[in-house]
Amino acid sequence: MINVSEQHAPRSLIVTLYGAYGRFMPGPVPVAELIRLLAAVGVDGPSVRSSVSRLKRRGLLVPARTAQGAAGYELSPGARQLLEDGDRRVYAAAPAPDDEGWVLAVFSVPESERQKRHVLRSRLAGLGFGTAAPGVWVAPARLHEETRHTLERLRLDPYVDFFRGEHLGFAATAEAVSRWWDLAAIAKEHEAFLDHHAHVLRAWESREDTPPEEAYRDYLLALDSWRHLPYTDPGLPAHLLPANWPGVRSAAVFQRLHARLRDAGAAFAGL
């Protein structure tokens, strides 16, 4: 069994819960319901309340009353856009195309605002960009729209120019990719996901029943682990990756867990 306290932060689990189920509920999610749903994955009530307060301060959750007058929380417009952008990555089933090209982000920040350089670097890295040169970041072309939304939301767009193109050398693209990203570190994250969740999939595939609460718990934990990986791993074409890339196996495990558990878990979540 996964140690929830070690592997999954309460704030992350709350965001994952809204991404999987909360945003599809009719209206705000009552606080009491948040506590029930997080208790199923080992998070106590005080941790839920303190984590919700932090997410509210960050502008991700906003307080609202349910139709029955109960206190609850719903996603802010920015958080909803963040999750909708993320859907294209988190639930992607098709392999990356071989010929989609690249998007370059080139930024320049005045010395008087140099603290924004770190913010820009960390955001671009968090979106899956690799470093081609100082101030020049590269990613598969399909990441452009989500990156634009993120930088606009953070009001960092005035400092960045985007370009689309292809890599023309001089080094082979596979060699360049190994400089732009730390592929060994990304592979370790995929292996960690497999260590935690491949056996969960095997256990479910040996069963015929799918009890809603068990399905909800295992799905939420798998999704909470998985949803960060498509940002660490930009989803490079297979011919640019090392042989036996573990990302292929981890994606297959998540997709099969999603197919088996998501809808059954929805019944426990009240959908």
Side-chain angles (χ1 to χ4, degrees):
M1 180 178 293
I2 296 169
N3 186 321
V4 175
S5 62
E6 291 182 0
Q7 298 294 334
H8 303 271
R11 270 178 288 175
S12 178
L13 283 166
I14 292 170
V15 174
T16 301
L17 170 61
Y18 272 91
Y21 300 117
R23 59 180 158 152
F24 305 111
M25 294 178 181
V29 183
V31 174
E33 183 68 355
L34 285 174
I35 291 173
R36 180 184 78 88
L37 292 171
L38 272 297
V41 290
V43 181
D44 60 33
S47 295
V48 173
R49 292 181 185 277
S50 64
S51 297
V52 164
S53 294
R54 291 188 182 98
L55 291 169
K56 182 175 71 172
R57 287 196 296 272
R58 288 177 55 192
L60 296 176
L61 294 180
V62 293
R65 293 280 174 180
T66 68
Q68 294 73 35
Y73 287 89
E74 60 189 7
L75 292 167
S76 67
R80 189 171 292 275
Q81 180 71 67
L82 186 69
L83 290 172
E84 289 173 357
D85 282 340
D87 286 348
R88 289 190 287 272
R89 296 204 205 195
V90 173
Y91 301 110
D98 288 343
D99 58 352
E100 70 171 312
W102 305 95
V103 59
L104 292 180
V106 180
F107 68 81
S108 178
V109 179
E111 184 63 23
S112 59
E113 299 178 275
R114 59 184 179 273
Q115 75 279 2
K116 292 182 179 177
R117 292 177 195 157
H118 172 71
V119 178
L120 263 168
R121 291 188 192 106
S122 63
R123 289 296 175 171
L124 289 171
L127 287 162
F129 278 69
T131 310
V136 180
W137 294 68
V138 61
R142 67 182 178 279
L143 303 189
H144 164 252
E145 183 178 1
E146 181 181 0
T147 304
R148 180 171 58 81
H149 289 160
T150 298
L151 297 182
E152 287 174 346
R153 186 170 61 252
L154 297 172
R155 298 180 181 177
L156 294 171
D157 50 302
Y159 307 98
V160 180
D161 284 306
F162 284 123
F163 302 87
R164 285 182 188 255
E166 58 181 313
H167 181 242
L168 299 176
F170 293 93
T173 304
E175 179 185 334
V177 159
S178 70
R179 297 196 308 269
W180 300 341
W181 285 276
D182 186 344
L183 295 180
I186 295 171
K188 286 183 179 178
E189 295 204 29
H190 283 295
E191 296 286 4
F193 179 85
L194 290 165
D195 288 345
H196 293 140
H197 300 286
H199 69 93
V200 176
L201 175 64
R202 288 193 296 269
W204 279 106
E205 290 186 336
S206 70
R207 299 174 60 168
E208 294 185 2
D209 63 331
T210 314
E213 183 171 357
E214 289 182 55
Y216 165 86
R217 181 184 188 279
D218 285 349
Y219 179 65
L220 199 72
L221 295 178
L223 178 59
D224 191 59
S225 295
W226 172 257
R227 70 180 178 86
H228 304 282
L229 258 173
Y231 289 89
T232 302
D233 183 339
L236 300 171
H239 72 278
L240 298 179
L241 293 167
N244 300 315
W245 181 246
V248 176
R249 301 194 305 276
S250 66
V253 166
F254 173 72
Q255 288 157 12
R256 285 154 65 187
L257 283 168
H258 174 76
R260 175 65 185 268
L261 303 179
R262 193 272 171 192
D263 290 349
F268 179 75
L271 289 175

